[in-house]
Amino acid sequence: MKKTIFLETHNIQNRASGLGTFNYELIKGLHQHSFDNLELHLNSNKPSLLKSEFGEKFEYHKYFGFHRYKNLRPFNKFDLWHSVNQNSKIEPRFDTKYLLTIHDVNFFEEISSNMNHIRNQNFIEKLKRATAITYISEFAKKQTHNYFQVPNVPEHIIYNGNPISNLLNTSSYISNTPINKPFFYTIGDFIERKNYTSIIEMMKLIKDYNLIMSGNNDKEYGQVIKKLIRDNGLENQVFLTGKVSNEGKQFYIKNCEAFLFPSIREGFGLPPIEAMRFGKPVFLSDKTSLPEIGGEVANYWKNFDPDYMKEIVFEGLNNHENNKLIYEQKLIERALFFDWKKAAGEYLDVYNKCIY
């Protein structure tokens, strides 16, 4: 008889976020494997869309907002519950084996360090429930142990894969921002930890290049960025595309001179490995998990002084240009190290270890 596993994947529809990307790419990776001894159940507010893509490989459950309330949780009993999204309020109704995936505990630093805060309390309850824990990076594991009492259960590091599994033909893509000058590119959520203000301050010193930034900029931090651009007269040099399609993202990465990612808090950091897939020089902060992801092939900022950041960028660009074929090959190899099918296989191994 097959063992049943519930994957709490309700974030899967929000592909513009890191968690949404993780949900979707993990399912895509699992879809490439055989798991005849397991019955995997997915949770989504649009299960018909998942079924149209993945067919009969999985079982599907309709997510409703009221499932977060204890008395209204789903009735089904499963052999293993995978809490794919560490901040999910949806929990099993019955006691069951429980796998917790931890992406980061940035909320402890950004929201509250008070252990009685509801966000921390909810996370502590997940830790107490865990039969096993997976982390998306060594940094995420270290950060969790720094702030929380982690139970004595099996712990595993499973790196995310690269969301760019297929290189698209972008020749017909029409950019809604000017591309008449060489440009740098970045993409991600417009939230404070992304530290986008630092690269805009740097752009004041670089007149021969543009900067194109993609992602949802309607949030509060997006308004900060827009004001900084206006106040410094950079409207004709720094451009915000808003959210972009996969085609648009690949177009900008493929055509940029370099990818900039000055984030100061990342549990993993998917965009840099997307840029490396195209052999593009990447410039990252040396904070949190990013050195773990970029390895020796990335360039790093140790601080965010604009003159220093500019110096690192042009030093890195010169090195790349002088050894282009070698650097491009190393960047692509680094990107290919992160693979969703491989990651999904490791999750299947953990599932089996939890229930057998």
Side-chain angles (χ1 to χ4, degrees):
M1 186 174 178
K2 291 185 177 182
K3 297 290 187 178
T4 56
I5 301 174
F6 185 86
L7 284 75
E8 205 303 274
T9 53
H10 82 276
N11 273 328
I12 198 166
Q13 302 304 143
N14 185 13
R15 309 282 171 79
S17 72
L19 282 177
T21 298
F22 178 88
N23 282 231
Y24 178 68
E25 295 294 341
L26 175 59
I27 300 311
K28 275 180 61 180
L30 289 169
H31 187 256
Q32 298 177 64
H33 286 272
S34 296
F35 40 86
D36 295 336
N37 62 323
L38 304 175
E39 185 177 275
L40 304 189
H41 294 245
L42 309 182
N43 195 32
S44 170
N45 63 347
K46 296 180 180 178
S48 60
L49 291 181
L50 291 183
K51 189 169 185 177
S52 67
E53 181 171 359
F54 299 116
E56 303 298 325
K57 189 91 171 186
F58 305 101
E59 299 294 321
Y60 303 92
H61 293 258
K62 173 75 173 175
Y63 160 69
F64 294 98
F66 58 73
H67 284 157
R68 67 187 59 193
Y69 298 107
K70 191 170 184 178
N71 294 332
L72 298 173
R73 290 173 180 172
F75 279 96
N76 309 63
K77 183 173 175 60
F78 299 91
D79 294 302
L80 175 66
W81 182 286
H82 183 184
S83 184
V84 179
N85 307 288
Q86 63 184 46
N87 62 350
S88 172
K89 297 182 178 67
I90 305 165
E91 299 290 358
R93 176 179 285 267
F94 305 102
D95 287 338
T96 185
K97 292 181 178 180
Y98 188 93
L99 174 63
L100 174 61
T101 292
I102 297 177
H103 301 259
D104 62 62
V105 291
N106 290 332
F107 54 86
F108 186 87
E109 300 173 1
E110 296 175 347
I111 297 176
S112 176
S113 60
N114 182 347
M115 285 299 182
N116 292 319
H117 189 279
I118 188 169
R119 186 69 180 269
N120 294 331
Q121 282 294 307
N122 288 340
F123 184 70
I124 289 169
E125 287 303 309
K126 288 178 178 288
L127 286 172
K128 288 179 178 177
R129 183 176 277 136
T131 304
I133 300 171
T134 58
Y135 303 90
I136 64 171
S137 64
E138 291 283 357
F139 170 77
K141 179 180 179 180
K142 179 181 177 182
Q143 187 188 37
T144 304
H145 279 263
N146 281 347
Y147 295 134
F148 293 94
Q149 186 67 43
V150 178
N152 184 23
V153 299
E155 298 176 273
H156 310 270
I157 309 295
I158 302 179
Y159 286 121
N160 295 343
N162 191 335
I164 295 183
S165 53
N166 296 309
L167 302 185
L168 304 177
N169 181 356
T170 62
S171 59
S172 61
Y173 183 79
I174 300 175
S175 172
N176 64 358
T177 59
I179 52 171
N180 57 323
K181 288 170 60 176
F183 65 89
F184 305 127
Y185 185 59
T186 193
I187 185 171
D189 261 351
F190 276 63
I191 48 182
E192 192 169 356
R193 77 171 77 110
K194 299 301 182 183
N195 191 28
Y196 289 147
T197 55
S198 67
I199 53 176
I200 293 173
E201 293 288 349
M202 181 190 72
M203 291 305 297
K204 290 158 55 176
L205 308 176
I206 303 174
K207 298 304 179 186
D208 295 331
Y209 290 76
N210 288 342
L211 170 63
I212 296 177
M213 310 173 71
S214 294
N216 180 10
N217 55 59
D218 293 333
K219 302 176 184 178
E220 182 180 350
Y221 188 63
Q223 303 311 310
V224 172
I225 296 301
K226 291 173 185 177
K227 184 176 186 301
L228 186 61
I229 293 170
R230 289 195 305 269
D231 289 351
N232 287 281
L234 296 173
E235 294 95 333
N236 294 319
Q237 192 180 2
V238 179
F239 302 95
L240 310 183
T241 69
K243 294 181 181 179
V244 290
S245 63
N246 284 333
E247 183 187 11
K249 175 172 66 175
Q250 290 199 26
F251 172 85
Y252 289 120
I253 294 176
K254 188 184 298 184
N255 290 286
C256 73
E257 299 297 313
F259 185 84
L260 313 183
F261 203 71
S263 178
I264 56 175
R265 291 190 187 92
E266 290 292 328
F268 185 81
L270 289 170
I273 62 171
E274 294 179 300
M276 289 190 286
R277 179 65 183 85
F278 287 88
K280 294 294 179 175
V282 293
F283 295 86
L284 317 174
S285 83
D286 68 345
K287 315 302 178 193
T288 64
S289 69
L290 292 178
E292 196 176 339
I293 306 310
E296 296 181 356
V297 301
N299 303 277
Y300 297 98
W301 291 302
K302 295 180 179 178
N303 66 67
F304 304 108
D305 172 77
D307 286 296
Y308 163 78
M309 292 181 73
K310 174 187 174 183
E311 180 182 337
I312 292 296
V313 166
F314 283 99
E315 180 182 297
L317 287 176
N318 287 336
N319 288 338
H320 185 87
E321 191 60 34
N322 291 335
N323 303 277
K324 195 166 186 176
L325 292 177
I326 295 173
Y327 274 94
E328 283 183 351
Q329 186 59 36
K330 286 183 176 180
L331 286 159
I332 292 169
E333 287 175 358
R334 182 66 180 172
L336 293 176
F337 170 78
F338 300 101
D339 178 79
W340 277 112
K341 184 178 180 181
K342 173 185 168 186
E346 293 179 31
Y347 277 101
L348 286 171
D349 288 342
V350 174
Y351 293 165
N352 282 297
K353 288 175 181 176
C354 285
I355 60 181
Y356 288 106

